[in-house]
Amino acid sequence: MSNYASFGIVSAMKIRVGVVGASGAAGGEVLRLLCAHPHVQIAALMAHSSAGTTIGEHHPHLHALADREITPTNSDQLAELDAVILALPHGTSGEIAAALGKTVRIFDAGADHRLVSKSQWEAYYGTPYAGCWPYGLPELLHDGERVARAQRDVLRTATRVAVPGCNVTAVTLALQPAVGLSEAVDFTRVVATLAVGYSGAGKVLRPNVMAIAALGNAAPYAVGGSHRHIPEIEQNLSGAGAQGVRVAMTPVLVPITRGILATVTAPCTASSDDLRAQWEATYADEPSVRLLPAGCWPTTAATTGANIATVQVTKDDHAGQLIAMCAIDNLVKGTAGGLIQCLNLAFGLDETTGLPQEATP
């Protein structure tokens, strides 16, 4: 398969994929989507502490894989595959990636290779910097350019891809069209407030993410500029063409399993009609981003299980602010689905292949 992949061509052969971190939340969602992918063979299921157990013990909903054993992570075996998906905690994928050759394509769902700035990585993550890879958001604008769809060109030839954070995906898709109205939007005063489902915390057992703390409760976290996704959002908006970007971000855990609803505001002098025209132009041809009809606002339930972002924009004339919103399923478009979009591009497939476009009611 790798010979075909190097030319971006997919034959009747299957793309042999290994998933490292198969027992975790992100790994489980990757596997759920890959089970329905017509061009993928799940060739390896690996992890560290859960090695020796079966997929069914961790993801009982994955019936087709329930009896498959999770094996210890083995770089030599991974190097023989066409693609490796790393669904690991932050700070742990760099070493594995370094041990693999360039013939295998790697898609990292963790944060290790997202940030261009070494100093920002060290400030927000506090571990050694592993370098920066091509960024796995196909819809990402380049200096306001939407016609050339430049990020897709990058991803088609990349052998290493850093998949974005779920909060970052929501905020970036909500606001990035505004770079086309840069003279009318103050990017130095962006405020993002996010309602976030608990699956964003993964499967690590902590008191604040247990059901007894979550049910009937809304709880902010990483308040006051400490959230690790802030430099990533600023990096994306700056790359899209915004000047002097500063983002004040407050995420709030809400008692839902899946989903993110991002509300983003910024001072703005453009009219509501001008804003809508800009959003329409930006997302007219995007298969995984849907601008809703005027007056219809994104909801998390309308994206559950789908690789879709729904967006909306308007102007608060009283406050002089644009209001942009985006809803995603944080495990799909925010993580596993976005990753598979990138995998599809890398292997010459339509980027929506194997990805659900309709939400689960």
Side-chain angles (χ1 to χ4, degrees):
M1 184 65 213
S2 57
N3 291 333
Y4 291 99
S6 65
F7 295 99
I9 300 170
V10 172
S11 71
M13 298 174 66
K14 297 280 190 177
I15 304 166
R16 296 169 299 132
V17 176
V19 178
V20 184
S23 59
E29 191 69 1
V30 166
L31 292 172
R32 182 181 74 86
L33 296 175
L34 290 181
C35 282
H37 198 295
H39 298 292
V40 164
Q41 173 193 351
I42 302 173
L45 299 167
M46 298 182 180
H48 177 57
S49 61
S50 58
T53 62
T54 64
I55 287 293
E57 293 177 60
H58 304 276
H59 307 299
H61 60 293
L62 299 180
H63 303 291
L65 301 174
D67 296 330
R68 291 274 299 270
E69 182 177 347
I70 299 171
T71 63
T73 302
N74 185 305
S75 298
D76 291 337
Q77 293 178 17
L78 292 173
E80 297 299 318
L81 303 179
D82 300 307
V84 171
I85 294 170
L86 302 178
L88 299 167
H90 303 324
T92 59
S93 63
E95 182 178 353
I96 296 172
L100 299 178
K102 294 296 183 181
T103 58
V104 56
R105 285 187 161 102
I106 304 176
F107 303 86
D108 186 6
D112 291 32
H113 303 96
R114 295 174 187 162
L115 293 181
V116 173
S117 169
K118 179 176 182 288
S119 62
Q120 285 193 327
W121 172 268
E122 292 172 346
Y124 279 85
Y125 289 89
T127 59
Y129 182 59
C132 183
W133 291 355
Y135 195 76
L137 185 62
E139 301 87 358
L140 186 66
L141 300 182
H142 285 209
D143 292 325
E145 178 60 57
R146 60 181 180 274
V147 178
R149 306 175 89 187
Q151 193 63 17
R152 288 178 170 86
D153 293 337
V154 172
L155 294 171
R156 287 187 181 99
T157 59
T159 60
R160 302 288 187 269
V161 174
V163 179
C166 52
N167 295 312
V168 182
T169 296
V171 176
T172 301
L173 294 178
L175 188 60
Q176 69 169 356
V179 300
L181 300 167
S182 57
E183 297 300 319
V185 178
D186 185 355
F187 282 93
T188 70
R189 297 169 60 192
V190 174
V191 177
T193 305
L194 297 89
V196 182
Y198 274 79
S199 57
K203 298 174 71 175
V204 177
L205 185 61
R206 296 192 298 269
N208 67 312
V209 296
M210 295 174 64
I212 193 172
L215 296 179
N217 189 32
Y221 67 100
V223 178
S226 61
H227 198 287
R228 291 171 169 179
H229 286 175
I230 290 172
E232 197 178 333
I233 295 168
E234 294 180 343
Q235 175 178 289
N236 286 355
L237 295 175
S238 297
Q243 301 295 316
V245 181
R246 289 292 180 271
V247 175
M249 173 180 165
T250 304
V252 181
L253 288 170
V254 294
I256 58 175
T257 302
R258 293 170 175 259
I260 292 174
L261 179 62
T263 302
V264 188
T265 64
C268 176
T269 59
S271 69
S272 186
D273 288 344
D274 288 343
L275 290 171
R276 183 162 185 86
Q278 186 65 31
W279 264 246
E280 287 176 342
T282 301
Y283 291 134
D285 300 320
E286 287 296 347
S288 297
V289 183
R290 295 177 185 169
L291 175 63
L292 299 177
C296 181
W297 294 96
T299 64
T300 56
T303 65
T304 300
N307 192 58
I308 292 295
T310 58
V311 298
Q312 185 58 280
V313 67
T314 194
K315 171 76 176 297
D316 181 340
D317 289 313
H318 174 72
Q321 301 272 322
L322 72 78
I323 301 174
M325 299 185 76
C326 176
I328 60 171
D329 182 323
N330 56 298
L331 290 178
V332 188
K333 181 56 181 163
T335 307
L339 184 153
I340 292 171
Q341 272 185 268
C342 298
L343 183 146
N344 285 335
L345 287 167
F347 286 93
L349 295 165
D350 184 288
E351 69 186 77
T352 64
T353 303
L355 292 171
Q357 301 297 298
E358 307 301 330
T360 303

